[in-house]
Amino acid sequence: MSPGLKYAQPSTLIGRTDVNSVTNWNAPLVWEGTFDPVVMDNIYKRENPRIAVLVLAVGKYTQFLKGFLETGEKYFFVGFRVTYYIFTDNKENVPKIPLTQGRNISIHDVPSANRWQDVVLSKMKWAKLALETWLHREADYLFMMDVDSVFRGHVGAEALSRLVGTLHRGYYRTTKREDFPYERRPESQAYIPPTEGDYYYTAAVWGGLLDDMYRLVKHCDEKSQEDAKIGVEAAWQEESHLNKYFLYNKPTKVLSPEYLWSDYEGSIPADIRVVRIAQLVKNYQEVRPNGGN
Ligand code: UD2
């Protein structure tokens, strides 16, 4: 052990028997009880990585920034270098949140939108542009997140890897792949046949090293543009393209639904021992430019 590094001695053995903690391509599947957060953070702190987290806050979604940033300061990569990249059409509404040392906010202009679908699809485009132009000078890892989320528990180095996906809370117990809500129309570039699929991933938390993320966002942006040319929009917009990408380019780490639970769920099942990030309940009709679902 390097001098100066102190590892906490785990009081109990690490391990879970009630959940899978490895995928069938041998990537870690991260659950509470499968890692020691002190050990993991200490390993990565030696490299002192720069963590970027990019959120869109377009239209009325700026109202979620306060909770997102305040709770991020309490739980998200505490002790690491973190920059929150906020892509917004409304700079004036970005709240001023006190940040701890080594942490920054960087605000970027994007146009307003008439359709929420265009905003979620544009995640890929804005991330691609940032990665092509300036982000490589400022970060090592990039996480893409939904802004209508709050942190409620530790999120740290256990979430780092080359390419990271998060299991969607609604489908992590699904046993038949034909029940995943993948895009099922062959004319869409996001199409996945009923005989294929590993997991259904949420588009609200995913990340990785910049080069891997660049390949992903470039691919998904191109595929959604190909769809648009023939008047098709994937069933779950960028989430459908992300799921297709992850099927053929397996994540090197998969996060359990602890990393995106939801306040829409009435109760928390026993296998979710910690809610680390929660999607807030929102009035879709009220917050989206074109309302509804
Ligand atoms: C789901 C996914 C989301 C996306 C979407 C696509 C989860 C938890 N979330 O969320 O990642 O794939 O489905 O259908 O699975 N935004 C704005 N302004 C807008 C609309 C959206 O800034 O007018 C941003 C904002 O960061 C928001 C994110 O896009 O958090 C996702 O939009 P949503 O929260 O309306 O989508 P939702 O809840 O259907």
Side-chain angles (χ1 to χ4, degrees):
M1 193 194 298
S2 318
L5 273 185
K6 286 201 174 62
Y7 290 153
Q9 291 306 309
S11 53
T12 52
L13 280 176
I14 300 280
R16 290 276 292 265
T17 53
D18 59 328
V19 291
N20 263 346
S21 56
V22 65
T23 69
N24 67 6
W25 58 95
N26 224 10
L29 213 171
V30 183
W31 296 85
E32 172 72 0
T34 63
F35 66 95
D36 183 321
V38 178
V39 172
M40 289 300 300
D41 279 5
N42 276 344
I43 290 169
Y44 280 86
K45 272 180 191 163
R46 280 184 241 176
E47 292 163 21
N48 199 14
R50 296 163 299 175
I51 316 291
V53 52
L54 192 161
V55 290
L56 267 81
V58 176
K60 294 185 179 169
Y61 280 70
T62 50
Q63 67 188 275
F64 298 111
L65 280 166
K66 186 172 186 292
F68 180 82
L69 295 167
E70 281 178 351
T71 58
E73 284 303 275
K74 277 171 86 175
Y75 295 114
F76 185 72
F77 283 92
V78 173
F80 286 82
R81 293 185 284 174
V82 170
T83 303
Y84 302 94
Y85 292 92
I86 299 168
F87 282 56
T88 184
D89 60 339
N90 195 350
K91 276 183 169 168
E92 295 70 40
N93 275 3
V94 176
K96 300 214 173 356
I97 303 295
L99 303 175
T100 51
Q101 208 195 346
R103 301 171 75 97
N104 296 293
I105 293 181
S106 176
I107 305 170
H108 299 265
D109 286 314
V110 294
S112 302
N114 296 324
R115 295 174 72 242
W116 64 266
Q117 294 90 337
D118 292 337
V119 181
V120 297
L121 278 165
S122 74
K123 281 183 195 175
M124 299 295 179
K125 179 178 75 179
W126 297 122
K128 175 174 165 275
L129 193 74
L131 284 158
E132 274 170 355
T133 49
W134 43 266
L135 196 57
H136 59 282
R137 291 195 294 271
E138 302 180 10
D140 300 302
Y141 289 92
L142 168 64
F143 282 91
M144 299 290 296
M145 288 190 60
D146 278 7
V147 75
D148 59 319
S149 319
V150 290
F151 296 87
R152 298 209 175 122
H154 169 95
V155 176
E158 79 285 355
L160 294 177
S161 193
R162 264 184 40 218
L163 197 58
V164 183
T166 303
L167 300 188
H168 194 294
R169 71 173 200 286
Y171 303 95
Y172 75 104
R173 288 175 160 174
T174 298
T175 51
K176 290 201 233 125
R177 43 172 67 95
E178 61 265 34
D179 292 340
F180 290 138
Y182 297 143
E183 172 56 64
R184 299 301 191 186
R185 294 166 299 170
E187 57 270 33
S188 169
Q189 294 295 322
Y191 169 69
I192 296 178
T195 50
E196 291 186 47
D198 306 305
Y199 297 111
Y200 190 76
Y201 302 92
T202 175
V205 180
W206 46 286
L209 282 171
L210 297 200
D211 285 351
D212 297 82
M213 288 294 278
Y214 181 64
R215 280 191 284 276
L216 186 167
V217 296
K218 184 168 178 290
H219 179 92
C220 291
D221 186 45
E222 284 168 5
K223 294 298 166 190
S224 66
Q225 283 181 39
E226 281 180 45
D227 274 4
K229 277 187 205 140
I230 57 159
V232 169
E233 186 173 273
W236 293 102
Q237 292 80 28
E238 87 298 5
E239 192 170 82
S240 302
H241 290 283
L242 179 73
N243 271 277
K244 172 104 180 238
Y245 188 86
F246 279 159
L247 175 59
Y248 301 119
N249 304 268
K250 307 285 192 213
T252 54
K253 190 173 269 186
V254 176
L255 306 177
S256 68
E258 295 165 6
Y259 290 80
L260 195 73
W261 198 247
S262 172
D263 288 351
Y264 285 100
E265 301 290 333
S267 60
I268 301 172
D271 52 7
I272 306 294
R273 293 190 188 165
V274 180
V275 172
R276 303 175 191 281
I277 306 173
Q279 179 194 22
L280 296 168
V281 170
K282 60 185 181 284
N283 180 343
Y284 282 99
Q285 201 67 39
E286 204 273 319
V287 293
R288 284 174 162 176
N290 48 333
N293 284 306

